[in-house]
């Protein structure tokens, strides 16, 4: 431990401890959360947000994120938590996500500031929303009288079409509902298959929702602390990329304030120069005071009870790896989603799941689930050049694949190619 003075570096920790703290705070090591709905809320509270994505080649990403952390996770429990108990709701965090209803005051900042900026895009969007006020009124009136309703229930009554170079061009009803959603007027009340059912916010939020209006400083203080705890250790650029991505005005002053109050403490990462460019590890880095006992335990007892490593497969959108620069720095692991890359140009596969083994990302698999035939196909397994070898590691990876298959209800696992040579005996 290094203690210099108030606001100065208090601890120098190794990059190994940094990784282990991050993984443990992500609930991918250490004691497992409770099973069932209580465990889902516990994980959501630690992660801050569960990204949502419609791609279902294996399973929806929010299900994969929870499966990798929770024992005996059942997707029906997530539906209970989100759509019956309303402890979670869909909103924009670092992307479209499930967030905690208890964090509603944090997310209200975006709702209040929707299209309040002076960028060219916001100016054009404000003009379009104003021109199509009758469409917004029509949607809200239908929801008040008939909701919850799917997107397809609404006629396109736009007087001017939304134009863009992306997939939203011409999707006037969807664009207006997105605006009403981000502004906080409507929310997702449930789902019919993959389709969202919309309703007015007043009917979706439970009575116990905290509804006080926080000022900007209080929001940033709360969001920054939630991001730091989720990350384990973080520097300002990483905080900005996490949880409420890009919504940390005045972050430097807030961090200084939190340090002065000892809510967070500055740390230095020592001994990392041999693993990466030393400049890449330049601070400031912060740890939340609530995590100092865990940090000290991981530092003093590297393989003690506080660590508890696992081998599991991660969603390509998993919170641990959603910041690609941080992933490269912490794990020396290059990860790019190749969904939109032409098949002949893909290096790893369409929907690749990284393999977390202890405190390292040791490889990746390219899976696809055939639900009609109950078959999980593993098109390929790739090991990192520096991945540990041997039967035990192979068995751990094979077990992780078997656990994924069981979760998906697969009756068989089919391997499209042989496992890496160094792991092959563990698959026998």
């Amino acid at each position: 431990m290094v203690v210099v003075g108030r606001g100065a570096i208090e601890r120098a920790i190794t990059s190994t401890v940094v990784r282990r703290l991050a993984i443990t705070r992500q609930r991918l090591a250490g004691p497992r959360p409770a099973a069932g709905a209580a465990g889902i809320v516990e994980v959501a509270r630690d992660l801050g947000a569960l990204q949502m994505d419609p791609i279902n080649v294996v399973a929806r990403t929010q299900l994969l994120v929870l499966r990798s952390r929770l024992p005996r996770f059942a997707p029906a429990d997530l539906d209970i938590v989100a759509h019956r108990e309303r402890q979670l709701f869909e909103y924009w965090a670092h992307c479209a996500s499930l967030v905690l209803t208890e964090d509603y005051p944090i997310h209200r900042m975006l709702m209040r500031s929707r299209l309040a900026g002076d960028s060219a895009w916001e100016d054009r969007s404000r003009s379009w929303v104003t021109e199509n006020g009758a469409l917004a009124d029509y949607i809200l009136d239908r929801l008040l009288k008939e909701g919850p309703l799917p997107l397809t229930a609404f006629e396109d009554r736009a007087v001017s079409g939304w134009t863009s170079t992306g997939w939203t061009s011409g999707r006037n009803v969807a664009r207006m509902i997105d605006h009403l959603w981000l502004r906080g007027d409507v929310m997702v009340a449930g789902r019919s298959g993959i389709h969202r059912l919309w309703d007015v916010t007043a009917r979706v939020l439970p009575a116990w929702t905290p509804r006080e209006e926080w000022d900007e400083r209080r929001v940033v203080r709360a969001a920054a602390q939630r991001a730091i705890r989720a990350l384990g250790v973080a520097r300002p650029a990483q905080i900005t990329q996490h949880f409420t991505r890009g919504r940390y005005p005045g972050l430097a002053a807030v961090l200084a304030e939190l340090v002065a109050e000892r809510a967070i403490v500055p740390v230095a990462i020592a001994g990392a120069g041999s693993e990466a460019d030393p400049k890449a590890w330049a601070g400031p880095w912060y740890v939340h005071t609530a995590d100092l006992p865990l940090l000290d335990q991981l530092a003093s007892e590297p393989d003690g009870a506080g660590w508890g490593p696992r081998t599991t497969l991660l969603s390509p959108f998993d919170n641990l790896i959603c910041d690609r620069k941080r992933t490269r720095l912490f794990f020396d692991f290059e990860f790019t989603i190749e969904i939109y890359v032409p098949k002949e140009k893909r290096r790893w596969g369409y929907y690749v799941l990284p393999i977390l083994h202890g405190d390292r990302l040791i490889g990746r698999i390219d899976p696809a689930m055939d639900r009609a035939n109950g078959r999980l196909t593993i098109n390929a397994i790739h090991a990192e050049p520096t991945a540990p070898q041997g039967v035990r590691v192979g068995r751990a990876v094979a077990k992780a694949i078997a656990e994924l298959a069981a979760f998906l209800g697969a009756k068989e696992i089919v391997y499209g190619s042989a496992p890496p040579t160094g792991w092959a005996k563990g698959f026998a």
Side-chain angles (χ1 to χ4, degrees):
M1 180 186 299
V2 178
V3 181
V4 179
R6 186 174 181 179
I9 301 300
E10 296 197 10
R11 283 165 172 76
I13 54 179
T14 68
S15 56
T16 297
V17 172
V18 164
R19 281 193 298 275
R20 292 187 175 189
L21 178 62
I23 292 166
T24 305
R25 287 299 302 137
Q26 283 283 306
R27 305 310 297 266
L28 289 163
R32 287 186 179 273
I40 292 172
V41 175
E42 186 180 335
V43 169
R45 191 170 286 131
D46 282 336
L47 301 186
L50 302 171
Q51 182 172 341
M52 306 188 76
D53 191 88
I55 298 171
N56 200 28
V57 68
V58 179
R60 310 289 180 203
T61 184
Q62 64 270 25
L63 303 183
L64 292 174
V65 168
L66 291 169
R67 183 212 67 84
S68 65
R69 291 160 170 84
L70 288 167
R72 303 179 301 282
F73 167 65
D77 289 335
L78 179 58
D79 187 62
I80 291 170
V81 170
H83 300 138
R84 189 182 305 172
E85 297 178 353
R86 306 290 189 193
Q87 296 192 69
L88 302 173
F89 69 95
E90 293 187 34
Y91 197 60
W92 197 265
H94 62 268
C95 54
S97 304
L98 282 164
V99 298
L100 290 152
T101 304
E102 65 193 51
D103 282 344
Y104 186 68
I106 293 176
H107 300 290
R108 278 286 295 153
M109 187 172 81
L110 177 58
M111 296 176 190
R112 294 195 305 268
S113 63
R114 171 67 178 162
L115 300 185
D118 56 4
S119 70
W121 181 88
E122 286 172 303
D123 185 60
R124 185 168 72 88
S125 297
R126 273 194 303 270
S127 297
W128 183 83
V129 167
T130 301
E131 291 169 7
N132 290 285
L135 174 60
D137 292 342
Y138 157 69
I139 291 170
L140 290 171
D141 185 62
R142 286 281 308 275
L143 291 177
L144 279 168
K145 293 176 179 176
E146 307 170 44
L149 295 172
L151 175 69
T152 54
F154 301 98
E155 300 172 15
D156 184 351
R157 297 188 178 183
V159 296
S160 62
W162 173 259
T163 59
S164 76
T165 57
W167 66 274
T168 62
S169 189
R171 297 169 59 89
N172 300 319
V173 174
R175 193 78 192 112
M176 184 60 77
I177 287 181
D178 277 348
H179 167 69
L180 295 172
W181 172 57
L182 290 173
R183 198 173 69 181
D185 295 330
V186 304
M187 282 188 169
V188 178
R191 287 188 174 250
S192 177
I194 65 171
H195 300 289
R196 295 183 287 187
L197 299 176
W198 296 97
D199 205 348
V200 291
T201 295
R203 277 203 297 256
V204 176
L205 286 178
W208 54 263
T209 304
R211 299 170 190 269
E212 62 268 26
E213 297 283 343
W214 291 1
D215 62 28
E216 183 177 273
R217 187 63 159 246
R218 185 175 178 184
V219 169
V220 176
R221 280 174 58 93
Q225 289 182 83
R226 191 173 278 289
I228 292 168
R229 293 217 66 194
L231 292 166
V233 59
R235 57 189 176 193
Q238 295 172 358
I239 297 168
T240 300
Q241 285 296 304
H242 209 70
F243 187 34
T244 54
R245 181 175 291 169
R247 304 202 297 273
Y248 293 90
L251 178 62
V254 165
L255 293 175
E257 189 177 88
L258 292 172
V259 169
E261 297 169 7
R262 292 196 58 79
I264 62 175
V265 298
V267 298
I269 300 176
S274 61
E275 300 179 32
D277 178 358
K279 293 181 181 178
W281 291 90
W285 294 90
Y286 300 100
V287 172
H288 199 278
T289 302
D291 290 322
L292 291 180
L294 174 60
L295 172 63
D296 290 340
Q297 184 180 21
L298 291 171
S300 62
E301 303 175 46
D303 297 309
W307 172 218
R310 305 173 207 152
T311 301
T312 192
L313 306 172
L314 302 179
S315 161
F317 303 105
D318 195 279
N319 298 54
L320 181 69
I321 57 173
C322 63
D323 183 338
R324 305 304 188 211
K325 289 183 179 179
R326 178 180 163 99
T327 301
R328 188 183 310 117
L329 176 62
F330 276 42
F331 299 97
D332 192 22
F333 189 82
E334 293 285 347
F335 187 61
T336 302
I337 296 175
E338 297 181 316
I339 293 168
Y340 303 110
V341 175
K343 186 175 181 179
E344 65 277 7
K345 294 184 178 181
R346 289 180 195 142
R347 183 180 180 188
W348 307 113
Y350 179 79
Y351 195 80
V352 166
L353 309 186
I355 305 166
L356 176 67
H357 179 71
D359 63 3
R360 297 177 62 185
L361 294 171
I362 63 170
R364 56 200 98 196
I365 71 167
D366 173 18
M369 180 61 191
D370 179 354
R371 290 171 180 80
N373 295 298
R375 182 182 302 121
L376 175 63
T377 298
I378 308 299
N379 297 307
I381 304 174
H382 305 278
E384 288 293 286
T386 59
Q389 305 293 304
V391 175
R392 290 181 63 185
V393 178
R395 283 176 182 164
V397 175
K399 183 174 180 286
I401 292 172
E403 289 172 347
L404 174 65
F407 170 73
L408 297 172
K411 299 174 184 175
E412 63 175 331
I413 303 172
V414 176
Y415 290 92
S417 61
T421 304
W423 297 346
K425 291 182 179 180
F427 283 75

